[in-house]
Amino acid sequence: MSTTLSETEAHVAAPLPETMTAVVVHGPEDYRLETVPVPLPGDGELLLRVEAVGVCASDLKCYHGAAKFWGDENRPAWAQTGRIPGHEFVGRVVAGDPAALARRGLALGGRVACEQIVPCGDCRYCERGQYWMCAPHAMFGFKEFDGAMAEYALIPERALTHPVSADLAPQHAAYAEPLSCAMHAVERADVRFGDVVVIAGAGPIGLGAIAGVRQKNPLKVIALDMSDDKLELARKCGADLTINITTEDAIARVKELTDSYGADVYIEATGHPSAVGQGLNLLRKLGTYVEYSVFGSDVTVDWSIISDDKELDVRGAHLGPGCWPAAIKLLESGVLPMDEICTHQFPLDGFQSALDLVGDTAGASIKVTILP
């Protein structure tokens, strides 16, 4: 157990307040703005002044009580009450153990983004280098460690940090988390030059996947969504062709474009159950299906499509392992339309409005961010 350092023992940029404002989870649909103590970093730890924290679809599903987070008859609860939510964040180092700063190559005032998982380092997966599947699965804002919907966030010794340019707007820098996740989905797809790749959804993950697939330069990148505005943004992120599924039959259109064979790769990034069957049906035989979404309800499909009909390669994707440097580099390059992706920013006391906007089924937002 780490020992808490006093301000005189730690490197501190400026005197720290004793308390801060933070969102605290008391259970599904019971998140409250409270005054809590400012944590002081212990051995190996850092303290960040939070600049931005993105609101993820998984945050919303946790808020609404999805069984993945709070359990059901088939699984125990994973999320914890009493936690500060928020796992997509960037901030400035304002205090830290001198050794921790040196180990990470940081100085006070440095800007970093943190990977969402805090791996244990001891389980089978961590020992094999597969840290993103860490068995205890401690994660900022959900389990064991407080997140960043607060003025300050404590960074434990085991956390994985990445430097981010000071030139990026805070909300753009915080997008490194969903972008790294999307790029991992692209890596799982094993995209090749001759592939026709279909990405379902032009939200934060889908747009990131489009941008990531574009880096692989396949034959054709096709984006699906229900919003013409989002599809226009998909084109700016690298889609060659877009299909509005409310006005066109996506399966028929993809078959038409591929001599009736179907797409080589399908990446699902909507979280809507109907997108699963859509993907299975528009893929060619021996195609690859990649699932990234967190679903709020069960999904039922005809598994014979996967097996007897097409012998599909179905892959899951979780978090953004190994993709953070590439994601940050892409953000820093300035090629993505970040002002159009990061549509809404809220102050910390507007967290409920931020959650509600992410949950707006009319699709009024793309990336919603809180700026504490």
Side-chain angles (χ1 to χ4, degrees), residues 10-362:
H11 283 179
V12 181
L16 297 171
E18 293 184 359
T19 61
M20 66 178 182
T21 304
V23 179
V24 179
V25 176
H26 289 270
E29 299 190 353
D30 188 6
Y31 288 22
R32 307 175 198 170
L33 198 65
E34 298 181 1
T35 299
V36 301
V38 172
L40 284 176
D43 292 339
E45 297 176 337
L46 302 176
L47 185 69
L48 297 189
R49 179 65 173 90
V50 179
E51 291 186 301
V53 53
V55 182
C56 177
S58 62
D59 290 319
L60 185 71
K61 286 163 185 171
C62 184
Y63 173 77
H64 283 303
K68 170 182 169 60
F69 300 97
W70 297 109
D72 57 16
E73 65 275 9
N74 300 313
R75 59 193 132 177
W78 174 66
Q80 297 171 330
T81 57
R83 288 275 159 236
I84 297 170
H87 61 279
E88 302 179 359
F89 63 95
V90 65
R92 301 271 184 174
V93 181
V94 294
D97 172 6
L101 289 166
R103 179 172 63 86
R104 297 177 188 273
L106 293 171
L108 293 179
R111 180 190 245 184
V112 294
C114 295
E115 297 199 26
Q116 38 318 58
I117 194 166
V118 183
C120 72
D122 297 323
C123 70
R124 172 188 296 182
Y125 303 106
C126 287
E127 288 180 347
R128 293 178 177 179
Q130 300 160 331
Y131 71 90
W132 65 100
M133 297 306 296
C134 172
H137 226 69
M139 191 175 294
F140 285 111
F142 293 113
K143 181 181 177 183
E144 194 172 335
F145 298 100
D146 286 333
M149 288 190 192
E151 294 177 275
Y152 295 90
L154 188 68
I155 308 305
E157 185 174 11
R158 304 198 315 263
L160 306 172
T161 58
H162 300 275
V164 182
S165 169
D167 295 331
L168 285 176
Q171 62 269 28
H172 299 174
Y175 186 66
E177 194 275 351
L179 182 56
S180 69
C181 291
M183 293 178 89
H184 177 52
V186 173
E187 291 284 68
R188 291 285 287 155
D190 192 23
V191 175
R192 303 184 181 188
F193 290 130
D195 284 347
V196 173
V197 182
V198 175
I199 296 97
I205 296 294
L207 291 172
I210 292 164
V213 169
R214 184 74 279 155
Q215 303 298 303
K216 300 289 186 178
N217 201 30
L219 181 64
K220 193 176 295 292
V221 181
I222 302 172
L224 312 181
D225 203 276
M226 300 172 66
S227 163
D228 286 334
D229 290 340
K230 290 182 178 179
L231 290 171
E232 176 60 31
L233 191 51
R235 283 188 283 272
K236 294 180 181 180
C237 288
D240 298 304
L241 186 145
T242 60
I243 299 173
N244 187 320
I245 63 169
T246 67
T247 58
E248 282 192 86
D249 183 332
I251 296 170
R253 184 80 172 103
V254 170
K255 293 287 184 71
E256 177 188 332
L257 291 165
T258 57
D259 296 327
S260 298
Y261 286 103
D264 301 282
V265 174
Y266 180 85
I267 299 175
E268 200 291 300
T270 71
H272 195 284
S274 66
V276 179
Q278 172 183 261
L280 298 180
N281 283 299
L282 65 72
L283 279 168
R284 65 167 171 81
K285 294 179 180 180
L286 303 175
T288 299
Y289 179 112
V290 177
E291 182 58 65
Y292 199 89
S293 296
V294 175
F295 291 93
S297 58
D298 292 341
V299 180
T300 301
V301 296
D302 180 357
W303 276 68
S304 62
I305 299 172
I306 299 169
S307 57
D308 195 51
D309 291 358
K310 293 186 177 181
E311 195 175 323
L312 297 177
D313 190 352
V314 179
R315 302 180 179 184
H318 178 57
L319 307 186
C323 296
W324 281 77
I328 292 169
K329 181 181 179 181
L330 187 57
L331 289 172
E332 292 174 347
S333 74
V335 301
L336 297 181
M338 292 307 304
D339 284 334
E340 296 177 69
I341 293 174
C342 296
T343 52
H344 295 79
Q345 294 83 49
F346 290 86
L348 189 57
D349 61 7
F351 78 92
Q352 188 64 58
S353 296
L355 285 167
D356 292 344
L357 184 59
V358 173
D360 181 1
T361 56

